[in-house]
Amino acid sequence: MLSRLLKEHQAKQNERKELQERRRREAIAAATCLTEALVDHLNVGVAQAYINQRKLDNEVKTLQVQASQFAKQTAQWINMVENFNQALKEIGDVENWARSIEMDMRTITTALEYMHKGPVQPTSS
């Protein structure tokens, strides 16, 4: 009877060990699946962030090129406006010079006309 109880006890212990081992393997398998699912989920987010970062980098490069081109174009426009202002000043200087020459020519013309007509004779009364 004692040996039978011992055998039953050992059989129950073996069953418990097998059940515990099976549950441990199932738990490990479930934990592995969960870990893989979490890693896959995180990888999707990381991959999307990486793609977005690459797009942003490309946009930054494009924007830098465009800003550089705009700065060059703005410098050209400023140079053109300065040249135009200088030309306007020169036109104003030429206009003043022309007026001065015109006044001198009128003075000379008046003097020549006066000389050509001769001195004014006093009238006798």
Side-chain angles (χ1 to χ4, degrees):
M1 169 123 185
L2 203 50
S3 90
R4 190 175 60 108
L5 284 175
L6 180 64
K7 284 181 183 180
E8 286 176 8
H9 175 70
Q10 287 176 347
K12 284 183 183 179
Q13 268 190 334
N14 285 337
E15 285 178 20
R16 282 188 205 140
K17 281 183 182 180
E18 288 174 10
L19 180 62
Q20 187 176 6
E21 183 64 26
R22 191 179 75 235
R23 286 181 180 167
R24 186 182 69 79
R25 279 184 263 141
E26 289 173 357
I28 289 173
T32 301
C33 288
L34 175 65
T35 303
E36 288 175 358
L38 289 173
V39 168
D40 288 344
H41 179 71
L42 288 175
N43 282 342
V44 168
V46 170
Q48 187 62 44
Y50 178 74
I51 290 169
N52 290 344
Q53 183 64 40
R54 283 185 28 210
K55 287 179 183 178
L56 285 174
D57 289 343
N58 288 336
E59 289 294 324
V60 165
K61 288 177 185 176
T62 303
L63 184 60
Q64 286 174 339
V65 167
Q66 289 175 348
S68 175
Q69 289 173 346
F70 181 70
K72 287 177 185 177
Q73 188 174 23
T74 303
Q76 289 175 343
W77 288 345
I78 289 171
N79 191 26
M80 288 173 57
V81 168
E82 288 174 354
N83 290 341
F84 181 70
N85 283 339
Q86 185 62 33
L88 286 177
K89 288 178 185 178
E90 290 173 4
I91 289 172
D93 291 344
V94 169
E95 188 177 341
N96 287 335
W97 174 78
R99 283 186 193 144
S100 176
I101 294 294
E102 184 180 1
M103 292 300 291
D104 290 346
M105 294 303 284
R106 284 188 184 163
T107 303
I108 292 170
T109 304
T110 304
L112 287 174
E113 286 176 359
Y114 178 75
M115 293 285 288
H116 180 64
K117 289 182 183 178
V120 176
Q121 303 285 333
T123 55
S124 15
S125 349

